[in-house]
Amino acid sequence: MVCTNAFSALLTRTLVRATAHSSSAHTLPTRTISTINLNNVFRATSSRSVMGASLTRIAAQHQNVRSTALMVKARFQSTIAASSASNSVAAASASAASTAVKAAPDMVVKPVVGYWMFTISAMTFGIVVLGGLTRLTESGLSIVEWNLIKGMKPPRSQAEWEEEFEKYKQFPEYKLLNHGMSLEEFKRIFYYEWSHRMLGRAIGAAFILPGIFFAARGMLSKSIARRSLIIGGLIGFQGALGWYMVKSGLDEQLMSTPGATPRVSQYRLAAHLGSAFLIYAGTFMTGLKILTDYKISKGAYESLAAAINNPILKRFKGAAHGIVALVFMTALSGAFVAGLDAGLVYNEFPLMGGRLMPPVNELFDSHYLHKNDHPTLGLWRNMFDNQVTVQFNHRVLATSTFTAISALFLYSRNLPLPLHARLGVNILLGVACGQVGLGIATLLYMVPVSLGTAHQAGSLTLLTAAMYLMHSLKKVPLAKKIPLKV
């Protein structure tokens, strides 16, 4: 506004001078011309000044708006960039969290489910021992029928006992081995087999009924439910396999086979024992997994995670898995020894007939070839049918297992094992020494019932120690496993 007034004053003076100069040259009245021109000039100048000021203000405002828009745009772009970076970090975190969740169990199961699994494993341990006792007392063929419900009730009256005894007399075991057995002697072997079958029924009920309850309450995670279905299937299969095994000892063809001994097939016996070991291993390892996962979810293993996950233990962990497989194979070879009564030959140790290895013609005897066997392939039947070969195989496997366990123990001395894993190694070696001693004593004393039963229990105890060591070395996830299934 000041500039506009100055500009008007300057213009007025200029016009006044111009008017004065003009009036000296012309005769027109100076006052009139000056007044008219000044009024017109002032109006034009004022109008132009106002318009210029307005345009200036508009331009300034436009410039301010444009600057503000640019500033907002810059800030928006900065915000978008920051948001994009934040989203990238969040996505990376989410991906890592997703990976951690995938690495951890889908759900932590309550310990009560683990105790249920341990109960089934303890009952399975018991039925394995009772099964060994039943076999050693030659009681397995005393009940010649299989009735799931009706067979639960043993004979009570004298007439019922005599009826049951008459059924037993119709089969090869009585005719070839136990001819002249008294009713009281029959009752003794009957109760061994009946108890074995009743414990099998109890295991089935103890597994099915709580399992239905836990499943109905939603207390099983997907992985535990899957394991439970597999174990349940094995239990049902085991019952059918048991009867299939018994039927092999009731075959009437044994009466017409020269030199035949009424006993169950060693192949079916090995399958029956192996199935029982799998049920025991499945329930025992599942129980350990449930309780360990629960403790991890509470942070109990955080201090041990670094020690257990140490890469230096990788080879040792692999060796521990190998020991479990070796113990299982040795136990299966023991089933063939039991099925063939191979413990009744070469009752000495470590030699066999004064030699470390029996003669080759005894190990591979052509007597065990079948009619249409190829000569070379038929000789391998000795591995499962020949008493001498079967015992030799069991000796070799048992010695190899003990040597491997001893080597593992020595190897562990220089490793930074956690306390519970070192305890597992020590227990494994101690049980192995005891099992070797039982095996040698059983052989030297020609398989008495007490030592034979203890040796079979020892095999499962050794497997338990090996599985515990394997589990104690299992990698611990660093993330806590949540939530707890209620």
Side-chain angles (χ1 to χ4, degrees), residues 44-204:
T45 302
S46 177
S47 176
R48 289 172 182 173
S49 298
V50 172
M51 185 177 294
S54 298
L55 291 174
T56 301
R57 285 194 299 272
I58 291 172
Q61 292 175 356
H62 180 268
Q63 185 65 28
N64 290 337
V65 170
R66 184 178 180 184
S67 299
T68 302
L70 290 174
M71 182 175 65
V72 170
K73 181 179 179 181
R75 290 181 179 177
F76 179 73
Q77 290 176 344
S78 176
T79 303
I80 291 297
S83 176
S84 177
S86 177
N87 288 339
S88 298
V89 173
S93 300
S95 177
S98 176
T99 303
V101 169
K102 289 179 180 179
D106 52 342
M107 184 186 303
V108 176
V109 179
K110 279 189 173 183
V112 64
V113 181
Y115 298 141
W116 167 56
M117 286 289 178
F118 280 138
T119 300
I120 301 301
S121 66
M123 295 177 72
T124 305
F125 190 102
I127 201 172
V128 168
V129 175
L130 183 57
L133 183 63
T134 302
R135 176 186 51 79
L136 288 167
T137 55
E138 298 182 349
S139 306
L141 301 177
S142 59
I143 302 179
V144 297
E145 296 176 335
W146 172 251
N147 294 300
L148 182 61
I149 304 300
K150 184 180 177 181
M152 296 174 64
K153 186 181 75 69
R156 294 181 180 179
S157 64
Q158 184 67 17
E160 289 177 347
W161 275 114
E162 290 178 356
E163 180 183 358
E164 195 69 31
F165 192 26
E166 285 300 322
K167 293 178 183 177
Y168 174 68
K169 290 179 178 180
Q170 306 306 313
F171 290 91
E173 185 176 64
Y174 176 82
K175 294 177 180 178
L176 296 177
L177 292 180
N178 295 331
H179 189 71
M181 172 183 281
S182 67
L183 181 60
E184 292 301 319
E185 291 173 330
F186 172 73
K187 288 181 179 181
R188 183 177 61 85
I189 65 172
F190 178 92
Y191 273 122
Y192 278 126
E193 175 65 11
W194 179 81
S195 300
H196 183 66
R197 295 190 183 191
M198 286 300 296
L199 185 52
R201 291 182 176 95
I203 291 173

Side-chain angles (χ1 to χ4, degrees), residues 14 36 94 96 107 165 185 192 265-266 282-283 292 301 309 319 330 333 339 347 376 436 461 472:
T14 302
I36 293 172
M107 184 186 303
F165 192 26
E185 291 173 330
Y192 278 126
S265 165
Q266 68 271 24
T283 52
T292 302
Y301 279 74
N309 298 342
T330 305
S333 73
N347 299 105
T376 303
V436 169
T461 305
S472 68

Side-chain angles (χ1 to χ4, degrees), residues 115-407:
Y115 298 141
W116 167 56
M117 286 289 178
F118 280 138
T119 300
I120 301 301
S121 66
M123 295 177 72
T124 305
F125 190 102
I127 201 172
V128 168
V129 175
L130 183 57
L133 183 63
T134 302
R135 176 186 51 79
L136 288 167
T137 55
E138 298 182 349
S139 306
L141 301 177
S142 59
I143 302 179
V144 297
E145 296 176 335
W146 172 251
N147 294 300
L148 182 61
I149 304 300
K150 184 180 177 181
M152 296 174 64
K153 186 181 75 69
R156 294 181 180 179
S157 64
Q158 184 67 17
E160 289 177 347
W161 275 114
E162 290 178 356
E163 180 183 358
E164 195 69 31
F165 192 26
E166 285 300 322
K167 293 178 183 177
Y168 174 68
K169 290 179 178 180
Q170 306 306 313
F171 290 91
E173 185 176 64
Y174 176 82
K175 294 177 180 178
L176 296 177
L177 292 180
N178 295 331
H179 189 71
M181 172 183 281
S182 67
L183 181 60
E184 292 301 319
E185 291 173 330
F186 172 73
K187 288 181 179 181
R188 183 177 61 85
I189 65 172
F190 178 92
Y191 273 122
Y192 278 126
E193 175 65 11
W194 179 81
S195 300
H196 183 66
R197 295 190 183 191
M198 286 300 296
L199 185 52
R201 291 182 176 95
I203 291 173
F207 184 85
I208 293 173
L209 297 180
I212 292 174
F213 173 79
F214 292 139
R217 294 290 299 272
M219 296 176 66
L220 304 179
S221 66
K222 290 182 179 179
S223 61
I224 299 302
R226 194 180 304 114
R227 289 189 182 205
S228 299
L229 284 175
I230 294 174
I231 293 171
L234 279 174
I235 291 174
F237 172 75
Q238 176 74 341
L241 184 59
W243 174 242
Y244 179 66
M245 177 189 70
V246 170
K247 284 184 66 177
S248 66
L250 302 176
D251 193 349
E252 289 292 340
Q253 290 184 357
L254 293 170
M255 296 296 298
S256 58
T257 304
T261 302
R263 59 188 174 209
V264 299
S265 165
Q266 68 271 24
Y267 297 96
R268 300 183 191 185
L269 176 63
H272 191 51
L273 181 67
S275 179
F277 271 49
L278 289 177
I279 293 171
Y280 176 79
T283 52
F284 181 75
M285 293 300 290
T286 302
L288 283 178
K289 172 181 170 57
I290 292 171
L291 295 186
T292 302
D293 289 346
Y294 179 77
K295 290 178 181 179
I296 290 175
S297 70
K298 299 299 182 181
Y301 279 74
E302 289 182 356
S303 60
L304 295 175
I308 297 176
N309 298 342
N310 192 338
I312 199 174
L313 300 180
K314 183 177 180 181
R315 184 176 296 178
F316 185 80
K317 293 178 181 179
H321 282 72
I323 292 295
V324 172
L326 199 54
V327 171
F328 183 78
M329 290 177 59
T330 305
L332 284 185
S333 73
F336 282 93
V337 173
L340 291 171
D341 290 328
L344 300 179
V345 299
Y346 285 113
N347 299 105
E348 55 183 330
F349 190 87
L351 304 179
M352 297 181 71
R355 308 168 58 174
L356 287 176
M357 177 178 172
V360 175
N361 62 339
E362 290 188 20
L363 290 175
F364 297 98
D365 191 346
S366 59
H367 171 74
Y368 295 95
L369 271 67
H370 290 190
K371 184 176 181 180
N372 297 321
D373 280 346
H374 185 277
T376 303
L377 180 62
L379 289 176
W380 287 99
R381 291 187 181 276
N382 287 269
M383 302 292 290
F384 306 103
D385 295 345
N386 187 342
Q387 288 179 314
V388 175
T389 311
V390 166
Q391 189 195 117
F392 179 73
N393 291 340
H394 188 61
R395 287 185 183 220
V396 171
L397 279 171
T399 304
S400 301
T401 301
F402 181 73
T403 303
I405 292 173
S406 301

